[in-house]
Amino acid sequence: MDRLLVLGATGYTGRLVVAALERLEQPYVLAGRNRVALEEMAASLPSRPDVRVADAADGASVAHALGGMRAIINTAGPFARIGMPVVKAAVDMGVHYVDTTGEQTFQMQVYESLHRRAVSTGATVVTGAAFEYTFSYLGAALLHERCGPLLTVSSYHFADSFRPSRGTAQTALSMLGESFVAFRDGRLAPMPASWSPKKVMFPGERTPSWAVAIPGGDAVTLPLDIASLQSATCHVLLPRAAAVALAALTRTQPLVRPAMTARVQALLTRAMARWMPQPQDEYRNAGWIVFVHGQSPSGAHVCRMSGNDVYATSGATAAMTATWLVRGRGRDAGVMTTGKALPAIDMLDALRSFGVRWELR
């Protein structure tokens, strides 16, 4: 059976991707910069995978590691800083590419610079194949197929007792130096920001939630795949006090952005890597919900998806996306969302084995 490469395999998210691949019985190869750590990890795994040394910042080493591979899962970030050489190496070799980024600007850059090349080499490129955006992608695709054509779509993400990993925190830090955008009136525009969170109530829910707009990748990728869309936004759901604080941060981010130089980000990233602990099991096992609200000529519709353990779910979505591409279930080549690359309903149903539940309302 064809193999895939897991880059950043010894990292926090990489290990969760590997655990999911073991469950899926998909052959894979471990890759990263530290051969000793890779070999120790391989010896502890049931399938005893091979290892290859590769540095995400070095496209030539990534290309060498990709020899004989059908796909790559890239978990090494921040992606805006070291991700592009990996995507380019995969696309140039016609290797399917999947990553776990939450970085909006990086996702736009990948599409703008590599979509046509990927079409020509037959590579399917799916960015954001993790909790952050996979369920926005799949929910929007499902609504578009069942209730569409979609005219507007808004995603809302909730994670109970969430604690970020070092990688997630470093990604959020890097995004403070970027411009935030959303898709409004058929075009990209600065993301609307307010001092106050928005109170929202979803069909079938007993209590309201507090929503804050964030620079989600789904807000810029879904319009590329769903031609009828005129508006796409992304939100996080939080308790009221936390939502007020985040709203203030997004509102003042344009003032902070000039200070977030590459040097400042590098210093803060090193500090996080040294001092910030990874999430403990009591936080990982908390529940999560993603609502995708879509408006079509037939009315308003909501897809609700839920599960437990944000990080294990991210590992499962990335692993399953790449596995299905390796096994020939991809529907097109180019840079696209999961919902265009793969059948949305089939994938949501398959993710039930990882604790994912979904319904239309």
Side-chain angles (χ1 to χ4, degrees), residues 80-356:
R81 183 163 58 86
I82 61 174
M84 194 60 73
V86 182
V87 197
K88 188 176 186 305
V91 168
D92 285 345
M93 296 175 68
V95 173
H96 302 309
Y97 172 91
V98 173
D99 71 32
T100 57
T101 186
E103 300 166 54
Q104 184 187 69
T105 300
F106 174 73
Q107 292 182 278
M108 291 191 292
Q109 291 172 344
V110 169
Y111 182 86
E112 291 166 359
S113 63
L114 292 172
H115 175 65
R116 290 185 179 180
R117 176 63 174 161
V119 171
S120 69
T121 64
T124 300
V125 176
V126 178
T127 59
F131 166 80
E132 285 88 345
Y133 308 132
T134 289
F135 297 100
S136 302
Y137 295 162
L138 296 176
L142 191 156
L143 291 178
H144 186 59
E145 293 169 7
R146 289 278 187 93
C147 314
L150 283 187
L151 304 176
T152 69
V153 66
S154 297
S155 62
Y156 299 85
H157 302 250
F158 169 78
D160 191 23
S161 303
F162 177 72
R163 296 293 186 276
S165 68
R166 292 188 198 117
T168 299
Q170 290 168 359
T171 292
L173 175 68
S174 69
M175 291 176 67
L176 289 176
E178 301 174 355
S179 298
F180 296 167
V181 299
F183 190 72
R184 296 185 295 166
D185 300 320
R187 62 185 181 86
L188 290 177
M191 187 189 78
S194 170
W195 287 105
S196 302
K198 179 175 66 172
K199 189 177 182 179
V200 294
M201 187 74 181
F202 297 101
E205 300 300 309
R206 296 181 179 179
T207 58
S209 301
W210 297 93
V212 180
I214 60 172
D218 50 343
V220 297
T221 54
L222 285 172
L224 299 172
D225 289 351
I226 302 176
S228 58
L229 276 181
Q230 292 299 304
S231 173
T233 56
C234 182
H235 309 77
V236 64
L237 300 176
L238 294 166
R240 186 174 184 178
V244 169
L246 180 60
L249 177 61
T250 58
R251 187 69 176 81
T252 57
Q253 186 268 345
L255 301 177
V256 175
R257 188 168 64 235
M260 297 303 295
T261 63
R263 182 180 180 184
V264 169
Q265 289 188 35
L267 289 172
L268 292 174
T269 296
R270 286 196 292 271
M272 284 182 181
R274 184 172 182 180
W275 300 109
M276 183 178 178
Q278 298 288 24
Q280 301 301 305
D281 287 346
E282 60 265 31
Y283 298 122
R284 276 192 46 198
N285 292 329
W288 60 265
I289 306 173
V290 175
F291 298 95
V292 178
H293 179 279
Q295 185 73 38
S296 73
S298 63
H301 311 275
V302 174
C303 181
R304 183 188 192 274
M305 294 151 285
S306 62
N308 292 304
D309 192 338
V310 167
Y311 288 105
T313 301
S314 290
T317 56
M320 188 168 290
T321 300
T323 295
W324 282 24
L325 292 175
V326 165
R327 297 179 183 179
R329 300 198 63 175
R331 299 191 291 193
D332 206 351
V335 181
M336 64 193 68
T337 65
T338 317
K340 182 177 180 181
L342 300 166
I345 294 176
D346 289 353
M347 188 166 187
L348 284 170
D349 284 342
L351 285 167
R352 289 185 189 274
S353 64
F354 289 92
V356 174

